Amino acid sequence: MCGMTQGIRPGRLRTFRTRPTSTPLAVRVAGAGQALWLCFVEARPTVQSMFVLRLVVGGMLCDTVRFTADIVRCGIAWLLAIASSYIWNGCSDLVSDRINGSGRPLATGMLERAVAFRVAAATAAASLVLSALVSVGLLLHTIGALLLGYAYSFGRHALKRGAVGVTFTAVAIGVLSFDAGRVAFGGTITAEFVTFTAGLTLWLVIGGAVKDLDHLPGDIAAGRRPFFARVGYPRGSVGVACGAVVPSAGIAYVALVSGVPLKAAAVGSIVGSLALWVCPWRGFTANTPAGRRRPYRAFMHTQYAAHLGCLVELGLAA
């Protein structure tokens, strides 16, 4: 063996490297599909459907029922814009979500933060393109929603850090969602639109107070001071219950006095207000995961009841 290499100069020896095996296309596609699915779960589909409902109801309150391609594009664009904001929020809340034991993909490590950021950026870009295809007005609404979503989650003065910022974001994104529907349908502002938007926007103030109630330990550890961290459970529960009466009473009064088709929405919001009154007697003030989740569930169910009731009533009146 030694004799075979005597005539070969050391500098002439060649080293051969094996090329890494490329990942099959099917595997890459499956991985991308899984990442998109995990981002969809991270964006909380039940919340996304609520934003689309706001858009559709806002449009129907301003014009007759006539679905067009622009309305479909508007709905998809709005869904993508809000989804990107929620994915950004998941990326920014990694520490607090893990303290709270969240089961969402980012907190559990099933979804990488860098991958989520790329998907959120692509989703935001797609929402802008689709919005531009509809109208300049919708494009401005979408830009506003994306800026609001980013400002809520990132920066030294992120809006999520305090109760005022959380409330402002909830109200602003709610109004933008309703008005985006008006823009998509090409309708004009009506008494029904103003009443429903004002009532459900006030209801979003309640949502801003209770939405992170089950995340309090992580929020406090991350340096945030939401509503219940400031006032405590007992006083916070009474304040929320009293505040929930205002929007439901307003919608009911306008529906009865003016005859606008909002009776079903009024019933739905009143039931939700009563549910928040009942919550203190069912563990609302208890510092347990079940007790802290109950108010937000009542808030979400009330939103669905009010919006779906409004859609049914408007459909019957058309």
Side-chain angles (χ1 to χ4, degrees), residues 97-293:
D97 281 349
R98 285 171 177 169
I99 293 174
N100 291 321
S102 172
R104 289 197 294 272
L106 277 168
T108 58
M110 295 176 62
L111 177 63
E112 294 182 9
R113 191 170 185 264
V115 173
F117 256 117
R118 288 196 292 269
V119 172
T123 303
S127 71
L128 291 172
V129 172
L130 282 174
S131 299
L133 293 175
V134 176
S135 67
V136 175
L138 181 62
L139 178 61
L140 294 176
H141 281 66
T142 305
I143 292 173
L146 290 172
L147 291 176
L148 192 62
Y150 193 87
Y152 179 82
S153 297
F154 297 106
R156 181 179 299 179
H157 303 291
L159 294 172
K160 68 179 181 181
R161 296 184 64 85
V164 175
V166 171
T167 302
F168 170 78
T169 304
V171 169
I173 200 66
V175 172
L176 280 173
S177 298
F178 287 122
D179 201 55
R182 178 189 65 80
V183 171
F185 277 71
T188 56
I189 296 177
T190 61
E192 295 94 325
F193 177 83
V194 173
T195 302
F196 189 85
T197 300
L200 269 296
T201 297
L202 289 175
W203 186 252
L204 287 173
V205 175
I206 305 300
V210 302
K211 81 178 191 67
D212 291 324
L213 188 54
D214 60 333
H215 301 152
L216 271 183
D219 288 345
I220 294 173
R224 296 197 290 272
R225 297 287 291 169
F227 173 71
F228 275 86
R230 292 177 178 275
V231 302
Y233 282 98
R235 284 188 295 176
S237 64
V238 174
V240 165
C242 292
V245 174
V246 177
S248 57
I251 294 175
Y253 176 78
V254 173
L256 291 173
V257 172
S258 65
V260 296
L262 294 177
K263 296 181 179 62
V267 171
S269 59
I270 288 172
V271 171
S273 300
L274 295 175
L276 287 182
W277 274 103
V278 172
C279 279
W281 305 102
R282 294 294 306 278
F284 184 34
T285 57
N287 191 10
T288 63
R292 293 195 298 263
R293 278 193 296 268

Side-chain angles (χ1 to χ4, degrees), residues 15-21:
T15 57
F16 297 93
R17 297 179 181 177
T18 58
R19 294 182 180 178
T21 305

Side-chain angles (χ1 to χ4, degrees), residues 55-77:
L55 183 142
V56 173
V57 170
M60 290 181 64
L61 286 169
C62 292
D63 203 353
T64 56
V65 183
R66 51 178 187 82
F67 289 94
T68 64
D70 277 349
I71 294 172
V72 175
R73 281 193 288 266
C74 177
I76 296 174

Side-chain angles (χ1 to χ4, degrees), residues 18-29:
T18 58
R19 294 182 180 178
T21 305
S22 60
T23 305
L25 178 60
V27 175
R28 292 201 298 268
V29 170

